[in-house]
Amino acid sequence: MTVGHQEVEGLLRELAPQVLGTLVRRYDGFDVCEDAVQEALLAAALQWPEEGTPANPRGWLVTVAARKLVDQVRGEAARRRRENALAPATPQAALLAPAADTVSATDRDDSLALLFLCCHRALSSPSRIALTLRAVGGLTTAQIAAAFLVPETTMAQRISRAKQTVKAAGAVMSLPAGAESEERLEEVQHVLYLVFNEGYTTTGGSGLTAPELSTEAIRLTRLLYRLVPDDTETAGLLALMLLTDARRPARTGPHGEVVPLAEQDRGRWDGRLIAEGVALISATLPRGQVGPYQLQAAIAAVHDEAEHTDATDWPQILMLYDLLERYGPNPMVTLNRAVAVAMVHGPSAGLALLATLESDKRLAQHHRLLATRAHLLELLGERAAAVTAYREAARRTTSTPERRHLTERAHRLESPA
C-alpha cells in the first residue's frame, strides 16, 4: 500500500535519531555513520511512497544504513583499518538479507545521547544547530540551508566541519552524569530555543517566519521532554514554544505585513496549542525548581489567555519579568520588561529603563531597542522623536517585513490622516 510523502517524511524524522544512535553504538564513527543514515533516509524517501512502508521501518533503515556504511568503508582505501574493525562486527546476514522484520533486543533509543553529542561544547552555536537538525531532526542539508537562507554548499561545509570537530574532540555518544548532565541538557535546550526563535522571527530574508524551523524545534523539544519528563525546564521550554507558536497565524496580514501583538486577531490564534501549553506550564510551575523557560512560558500564557489586548494582566507580567531578571543580566529580558513597566507605570518609566540599555554593547545598536523606544515615545505623544526612532530601527533590521512595518509606523505618524 502506498503512503503519502508527508506521512513518510514525518516517520523518517522520528526514526532518524534512533537509527543513527543504533549505528554509532554498534560501529562507532559518528561522521561516517551519519552519512550512511542520510543515504538510507534518502532511499526510504524515494521508495516508501511508491512501494509502501515496510513492516519494521526502523529495522529496514538500520539494515540499509549498515550496508551503506560498509560499502563506504570498503570503497575508501584510506579507511582500510576501519573496515577491518567493522567487517567482523557485522553479521553477514545483516549485509545480505533484509532485516526489516527484526530488531535487536539490545536496540534502544539513543536520541538523548545523540542530542548531547550534536550540542557538544567544542562546536559553535551555528554548528550545533545545523548538526542537530540534520542528525537528530533528519532534515537534509538542502532543507536546513533553505531555512537559514544560505547556499546549500555553505551549509554542507558547516555540517562537515561540525562532524570533523566532533571527531577531533574524541566525543562519544554517551549520557553524561551528575552536574555535567545538567549543563549539557541546558546546552541542548538552548540550541532548540535558538532554532525555534529563528523560525518564529527570521533574522533575514523576505518572510517574517520560517514555520518549518519552529515546527521542527517543537517536535524535537517534544522528543526531549519524552526523554527527560521530570526536567521542569524542558517542560517549560516546550510550553513556551507552544504558547508562542499559537499566535503565528495572526502575526502577518494578507500581504505578509507584520501585525503587532496588540493588533492581532486573537480568533486566529491556535486554541489547541494554547490549551496544551497552558496545561503544561500550569502542571509544571507548582513542582518547584522554577527556571527562565518556565517564567517565559508563564508570561506567554498570560498574554494568550487575555481575551483582548486591554484585558492583559500587565502587573502579573511585570512581576514575572522581575523574577526572570534574577537569573542574571539579560538585555532582551530588560527590553521586554521595559514594555511591561510602561504598561503598568507609564511610558516615561519604560523609557527610563530603556536608557540603561544604551551602554550595553549587546543591544545598543540593535533595531529592537530603537523600535521599542519608538513605540514608547509614540505612546507618550512625542511623534517627531518616535518617527526618528522608527526610521533608524528600520535601517538597522535585516528582516524585510520588519523594515516595512517600522517604515510604515513612521509614515503613519508623519501623515496621521
Side-chain angles (χ1 to χ4, degrees):
M1 181 180 69
T2 59
V3 290
H5 284 276
Q6 287 188 338
E7 181 182 346
V8 168
E9 183 177 349
L11 179 59
L12 292 177
R13 288 188 180 182
E14 178 182 347
L15 292 175
Q18 301 176 33
V19 175
L20 179 54
T22 297
L23 256 68
V24 173
R25 185 160 33 82
R26 286 183 183 178
Y27 308 121
D28 203 2
F30 170 80
D31 52 339
V32 290
C33 288
E34 201 279 330
D35 288 338
V37 170
Q38 285 294 321
E39 290 192 48
L41 294 174
L42 177 59
L46 295 174
Q47 294 180 35
W48 292 2
E50 299 298 328
E51 301 175 6
T53 304
N56 182 356
R58 173 174 166 168
W60 190 99
L61 288 168
V62 170
T63 298
V64 173
R67 290 173 178 166
K68 299 286 186 183
L69 176 60
V70 173
D71 288 344
Q72 180 181 355
V73 172
R74 286 175 174 166
E76 298 180 21
R79 298 184 181 179
R80 187 60 60 186
R81 287 192 304 171
R82 185 184 295 274
E83 178 188 10
N84 293 335
L86 282 172
T90 306
Q92 193 65 18
L95 300 177
L96 301 178
D101 58 344
T102 60
V103 176
S104 170
T106 60
D107 279 350
R108 60 180 184 269
D109 190 346
D110 293 298
S111 299
L112 182 57
L114 193 57
L115 276 166
F116 283 140
L117 182 62
C118 291
C119 297
H120 195 276
R121 55 194 55 176
L123 297 171
S124 66
S125 182
S127 295
R128 291 178 181 180
I129 291 172
L131 196 56
T132 298
L133 288 175
R134 174 157 155 148
V136 187
L139 274 66
T140 65
T141 303
Q143 289 173 319
I144 302 171
F148 282 93
L149 304 174
V150 299
E152 185 176 350
T153 53
T154 299
M155 186 56 68
Q157 291 171 357
R158 181 178 300 172
I159 293 173
S160 178
R161 286 194 300 268
K163 290 195 291 186
Q164 292 305 312
T165 299
V166 168
K167 181 179 180 181
V172 296
M173 191 183 68
S174 62
L175 293 176
E180 183 185 1
S181 177
E182 295 181 8
E183 292 176 6
R184 298 291 299 280
L185 181 58
E186 290 177 3
E187 293 168 356
V188 171
Q189 291 166 347
H190 185 60
V191 165
L192 298 178
Y193 180 69
L194 292 177
V195 173
F196 178 82
N197 284 346
E198 180 63 26
Y200 192 69
T201 304
T202 59
T203 53
S206 59
L208 179 66
T209 66
E212 63 277 11
L213 283 180
S214 296
T215 301
E216 184 61 17
I218 291 174
R219 189 186 73 83
L220 290 176
T221 306
R222 286 188 188 277
L223 169 64
L224 183 62
Y225 180 55
R226 176 172 63 81
L227 297 171
V228 287
D230 294 329
D231 184 74
T232 54
E233 272 295 80
T234 298
L237 177 60
L238 177 56
L240 172 62
M241 290 182 180
L242 296 173
L243 291 164
T244 305
D245 202 54
R247 306 178 206 140
R248 178 153 48 92
R251 293 186 67 227
T252 54
H255 305 293
E257 66 273 21
V258 176
V259 180
L261 178 63
E263 301 172 17
Q264 289 175 15
D265 177 2
R266 301 188 176 210
R268 296 182 62 197
W269 289 0
D270 190 324
R272 180 184 58 83
L273 291 182
I274 292 174
E276 183 183 359
V278 168
L280 183 57
I281 192 60
S282 297
T284 302
L285 284 174
R287 294 165 57 188
Q289 299 297 320
V290 176
Y293 292 126
Q294 294 169 74
L295 290 171
Q296 291 179 72
I299 292 169
V302 175
H303 280 296
D304 287 8
E305 290 185 306
E307 294 184 1
H308 50 83
T309 186
D310 292 337
T312 304
D313 189 344
W314 283 106
Q316 184 179 2
I317 290 176
L318 179 56
M319 178 197 69
L320 290 167
Y321 272 121
D322 289 342
L323 293 174
L324 190 57
E325 278 202 322
R326 295 181 185 179
Y327 285 89
N330 184 318
M332 276 298 180
V333 171
T334 303
L335 181 65
N336 290 323
R337 180 171 172 268
V339 176
V341 167
M343 300 306 294
V344 175
H345 301 297
S348 295
L351 285 167
L353 182 55
L354 285 185
T356 65
L357 294 173
E358 293 176 356
S359 59
D360 192 316
K361 295 181 180 180
R362 295 170 293 177
L363 204 63
Q365 302 300 316
H366 201 287
H367 75 279
R368 294 201 187 284
L369 176 59
L370 286 163
T372 304
R373 180 184 294 123
H375 174 61
L376 297 186
L377 287 169
E378 182 180 355
L379 291 178
L380 201 59
E382 298 187 14
R383 303 170 68 91
V387 167
T388 301
Y390 273 131
R391 292 202 180 280
E392 181 61 17
R395 187 181 68 82
R396 293 185 184 180
T397 183
T398 56
S399 168
T400 300
E402 287 191 323
R403 183 182 302 112
R404 290 173 180 164
H405 169 70
L406 294 167
T407 302
E408 175 60 27
R409 301 291 290 196
H411 178 71
R412 193 181 303 175
L413 287 177
E414 288 178 320
S415 307

